[in-house]
Amino acid sequence: MMNCITDFFTYETTKSVVVKSWTIGIINRVVQLLIITYFIGWVFVHEKAYQVRDTAIESSVMTKVKGFGVYNDRIMDVADYVTPTQGASVFCIITKLITTENQIQSSCPESELKFQCKSDDSCKDMIERQKPGGNGLMTGKCVPFNATLKTCEIKGWCPAEIDSIKMNPMMEVENFTIFIKNSIRFPLFNFTKGNFLPTITSDYIKKCNFNPVSDRYCPIFKVGDVLKFAHQNFSTLANKGGVIGIKIGWVCDLDKSEDECNPSYSFTRLDAVSEKNSVSPGYNFRYAKYYKMENGTEYRTLLKAYAIRFDVLVNGNAGKFDMIPTLINMVAAFTSVGVGTVLCDIILLNFLKGADQYKAKKFEEVSEVQVDKSTSYFNGMYRSRDHSQTSIKHDEKQSSDSGAFSMGQYG
Ligand SMILES: *[C@@H]1O[C@H](CO)[C@@H](O)[C@H](O)[C@H]1NC(C)=O
């Protein structure tokens, strides 16, 4: 019983072999220096490992578009061309509209060429083969569309929309401005800030336009500029529609002054897939306005809108000094210095002149007799095993000044 206790209250320390060799000495120090430089330069200074990070940024975005355009001899204002109207972080500016007026519920010929027919039979055939599409439910009849052309008849909103007509987009959109109000909060540090920096005055806001060099913090963006920064062509986008991302990045070091926590804006096209393929290019959607006649019959105006959609995306993180990550990373740094010994051991025991002598010094062979005599020097761990073997190779568990790396594999 007493033996057990005294065996338990012992301290094990490793025996080191000091090698006085210039070659291995220099390699050892150089490797250690590299590891220390990496930790100080990259991990601590560049990656700021001494800070705790908050990546769960909370944010609110409000937007407002301004400008007047001319389309179809009509002056268009914000209520006409921005949808949805709430001024959220995602909004569309309509650049082109295809209008089909006075539609009522009835039967009429299809307007698309792919529904061309010769007889009722070909229309019935089409019902079986076609995927859902067209402008209404097919009745299976073939009716004249105009003097020369016959198409299948549909039941639905008539007359059917003809969306192949060429329309010019509203070019004034290029000069419209987007105003973005963004507030953010880092909940971990309870830090709040907005993209209206204290330096911004109302006089400045009235005349500024965002520019990455001269007006980096102006919250007003010209549509044409945004597209230019996203490397897009305005007239292509206005014709086909598309989705543009306005990214607001907040990367803040809260150990520094609050004034240094500023937004950075960047712009990209988000619907890269529609940019490249021709199957579904651009962005468009349909909506309708409903009316009622005196006699109660409902009619509507169908609008097919080509729009540039803007998504305001906010991301960011903030860091602040904290004891826990500092300690963890310092411990990691100190233990990593020991990794150098692995490399040095490989060189020392395999490639250096006199490797055999080093090996002999490093791995002491102890015979059975000796073990019996010196049992008391080892603690309980080895005892039972030693007796069953004729000789043991006593591997040092650690080979140098730091680190805890078993060298058994070289024995
Ligand atoms: C946009 O504004 C510029 C300068 O104010 C003007 O020269 C240009 O004609 C405008 N573009 C359109 C499409 O109205």
Side-chain angles (χ1 to χ4, degrees):
M1 185 63 196
M2 201 57 202
N3 254 350
C4 271
I5 293 169
T6 44
D7 277 353
F8 180 72
F9 288 106
T10 52
Y11 172 68
E12 236 180 299
T13 185
T14 43
K15 193 173 151 189
S16 305
V17 178
V18 179
V19 180
K20 292 213 164 148
S21 149
W22 276 100
T23 330
I24 200 76
I26 289 169
I27 292 173
N28 182 31
R29 293 303 174 207
V30 166
V31 170
Q32 284 181 345
L33 192 73
L34 282 178
I35 293 171
I36 291 170
T37 320
Y38 165 78
F39 268 95
I40 293 177
W42 181 262
V43 178
F44 278 92
V45 175
H46 187 269
E47 294 289 307
K48 298 196 172 69
Y50 56 87
Q51 289 183 330
V52 47
R53 294 230 140 243
D54 185 2
T55 51
I57 185 171
E58 293 169 358
S59 134
S60 93
V61 172
M62 279 169 269
T63 57
K64 196 164 265 182
V65 183
K66 279 195 176 151
F68 294 98
V70 185
Y71 194 72
N72 272 349
D73 299 326
R74 258 170 69 198
I75 302 293
M76 306 273 281
D77 69 3
V78 183
D80 295 321
Y81 60 72
V82 171
T83 174
T85 50
Q86 285 88 345
S89 61
V90 178
F91 61 94
C92 300
I93 298 181
I94 294 170
T95 52
K96 196 165 91 171
L97 275 174
I98 293 170
T99 326
T100 314
E101 285 178 329
N102 300 330
Q103 284 190 320
I104 53 163
Q105 287 279 321
S106 71
S107 302
C108 55
E110 258 296 1
S111 59
E112 282 173 55
L113 269 185
K114 65 175 179 190
F115 293 106
Q116 209 174 334
C117 61
K118 295 229 156 54
S119 66
D120 286 0
D121 280 347
S122 51
C123 279
K124 291 205 175 84
D125 240 34
M126 241 180 257
I127 295 175
E128 264 151 46
R129 282 187 290 108
Q130 281 287 323
K131 284 184 227 151
N135 290 296
L137 271 181
M138 292 223 254
T139 58
K141 272 190 252 169
C142 191
V143 291
F145 176 70
N146 57 23
T148 54
L149 197 70
K150 281 173 105 180
T151 61
C152 294
E153 191 192 51
I154 53 152
K155 238 170 108 120
W157 288 102
C158 288
E161 176 191 60
I162 302 168
D163 67 356
S164 52
I165 45 170
K166 272 254 167 297
M167 298 283 279
N168 286 324
M170 181 161 67
M171 292 311 276
E172 290 82 5
V173 173
E174 199 173 2
N175 281 348
F176 289 179
T177 56
I178 303 166
F179 166 80
I180 297 176
K181 195 156 74 171
N182 174 220
S183 300
I184 56 122
R185 181 169 170 264
F186 289 108
L188 192 61
F189 311 118
N190 196 17
F191 176 85
T192 330
K193 194 147 185 187
N195 66 337
F196 271 65
L197 303 185
T199 49
I200 290 178
T201 61
S202 55
D203 278 346
Y204 175 67
I205 281 233
K206 268 178 204 139
K207 50 180 200 297
C208 78
N209 271 326
F210 173 84
N211 185 293
V213 181
S214 54
D215 297 277
R216 290 167 62 196
Y217 302 123
C218 176
I220 295 171
F221 303 81
K222 228 175 90 176
V223 172
D225 288 346
V226 169
L227 301 190
K228 205 164 64 200
F229 299 142
H231 309 293
Q232 297 298 317
N233 178 296
F234 171 72
S235 48
T236 319
L237 213 61
N239 254 308
K240 297 241 187 288
V243 185
I244 298 291
I246 300 177
K247 291 189 280 185
I248 309 179
W250 294 86
V251 179
C252 296
D253 183 351
L254 299 183
D255 291 331
K256 291 188 188 151
S257 143
E258 205 173 292
D259 299 336
E260 287 180 47
C261 177
N262 290 328
S264 70
Y265 300 96
S266 56
F267 311 87
T268 46
R269 178 151 187 191
L270 295 177
D271 59 335
V273 62
S274 54
E275 193 181 351
K276 288 193 193 91
N277 75 21
S278 56
V279 179
S280 166
Y283 176 63
N284 64 68
F285 54 89
R286 287 188 177 81
Y287 62 100
K289 294 174 185 165
Y290 296 86
Y291 312 93
K292 251 184 188 153
M293 283 185 234
E294 295 270 290
N295 63 7
T297 322
E298 196 180 28
Y299 69 102
R300 71 171 193 184
T301 301
L302 177 68
L303 298 128
K304 179 177 182 181
Y306 288 81
I308 304 175
R309 196 176 90 192
F310 292 90
D311 290 13
V312 182
L313 310 167
V314 181
N315 63 64
N317 62 71
K320 201 174 193 174
F321 173 79
D322 193 86
M323 212 55 219
I324 293 167
T326 310
L327 280 179
I328 291 173
N329 283 298
M330 266 164 66
V331 169
F334 287 132
T335 21
S336 301
V337 172
V339 171
T341 52
V342 178
L343 183 75
C344 291
D345 270 338
I346 293 172
I347 296 168
L348 181 72
L349 301 175
N350 295 296
F351 304 111
L352 226 57
K353 239 194 324 183
D356 284 340
Q357 274 143 296
Y358 292 130
K359 243 181 225 174
K361 281 276 182 222
K362 188 167 164 56
F363 305 110
E364 241 179 297
E365 281 192 24
V366 184
S367 74
E368 195 179 11
V369 187
Q370 263 179 306
V371 172
D372 281 340
K373 277 185 193 157
S374 57
T375 297
S376 54
Y377 295 112
F378 293 98
N379 60 36
M381 270 173 68
Y382 290 111
R383 213 172 285 155
S384 58
R385 220 179 57 188
D386 295 345
H387 291 287
S388 61
Q389 288 170 344
T390 51
S391 111
I392 59 154
K393 279 183 182 173
H394 175 58
D395 297 352
E396 287 284 353
K397 286 179 81 199
Q398 193 179 351
S399 53
S400 181
D401 50 351
S402 58
F405 200 86
S406 167
M407 297 303 296
Q409 55 193 307
Y410 305 114

